[in-house]
């Protein structure tokens, strides 16, 4: 029997294309990150423009909550970039608390745009619908430590 000669080409073939479910999970992760980046940008811009008087006219607890989102939103992003399931849990907590607060303010006090709460609610629906598949991907496809690790980024 003659030895089989490999076809010409690189010594190490390229890694196979990621499975479709990995591509979908990566897309979901980037949608989550983009949404929380919008939130981060919005709250940071409010603080840059409003300074110490950001959200003036609202109850101090509301002001504290909205200001705290300048920390919570980026923390969610970092955890998602690290593919931590805690980022999914924290993301859900943050968005659900944010829409609950915003819809309550709209209903009781007013003074904030309805379209923002509508957009946040639509984003929350996406998060709720995609949390479980994203968590499964994070759990089953964790990168292994070491220089030869394979990571879907």
């Amino acid at each position: 029997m003659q030895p089989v000669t490999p076809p010409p080409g690189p010594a190490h073939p390229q890694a196979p294309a990621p499975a479709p479910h990995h591509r979908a999970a990566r897309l979901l992760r980037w949608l989550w990150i983009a949404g929380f980046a919008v939130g981060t940008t919005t709250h940071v811009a409010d603080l840059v423009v409003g300074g110490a008087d950001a959200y003036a006219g609202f109850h101090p607890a509301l002001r504290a909550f909205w200001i705290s989102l300048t920390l919570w939103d980026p923390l969610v992003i970092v955890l998602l970039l690290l593919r931590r399931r805690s980022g999914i849990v924290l993301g859900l907590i943050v968005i659900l608390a944010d829409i609950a607060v915003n819809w309550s303010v709209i209903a009781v006090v007013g003074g904030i745009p309805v379209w923002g709460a509508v957009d946040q609610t639509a984003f929350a629906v996406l998060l709720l619908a995609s949390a479980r598949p994203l968590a499964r991907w994070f759990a089953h496809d964790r990168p292994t430590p070491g220089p030869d690790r394979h990571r879907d980024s």
Side-chain angles (χ1 to χ4, degrees):
M1 200 185 223
Q2 277 195 309
V4 176
T5 307
H12 300 287
Q14 287 184 333
H21 67 280
H22 287 168
R23 279 181 261 160
R26 281 199 310 264
L27 174 63
L28 288 173
R29 180 175 64 157
W30 286 109
L31 289 172
W32 280 57
I33 289 168
F36 284 101
V38 168
T40 300
T41 304
T42 300
H43 291 288
V44 168
D46 289 347
L47 289 174
V48 168
V49 171
D53 291 329
Y55 315 116
F58 290 99
H59 188 277
L62 289 171
R63 294 175 69 191
F65 174 75
W66 287 323
I67 290 169
S68 77
L69 293 174
T70 61
L71 301 173
W72 292 116
D73 286 349
L75 178 58
V76 170
I77 292 169
V78 168
L79 291 170
L80 291 171
L81 287 171
L82 296 172
R83 290 178 26 201
R84 303 283 187 224
R85 285 184 288 172
S86 57
I88 296 168
V89 173
L90 182 60
L92 290 172
I93 291 168
V94 168
I95 194 63
L96 293 175
D98 199 9
I99 62 175
V101 166
N102 290 347
W103 280 114
S104 297
V105 169
I106 289 166
V108 176
V109 180
I112 64 173
V114 172
W115 62 266
V118 170
D119 288 347
Q120 288 175 321
T121 302
F123 181 58
V125 169
L126 169 73
L127 298 188
L128 289 167
S130 62
R132 180 166 284 166
L134 197 57
R136 268 191 247 126
W137 178 57
F138 283 11
H140 295 303
D141 204 31
R142 293 288 310 155
T144 57
D148 295 321
R149 69 182 181 186
H150 171 71
R151 183 175 182 151
D152 285 331
S153 299

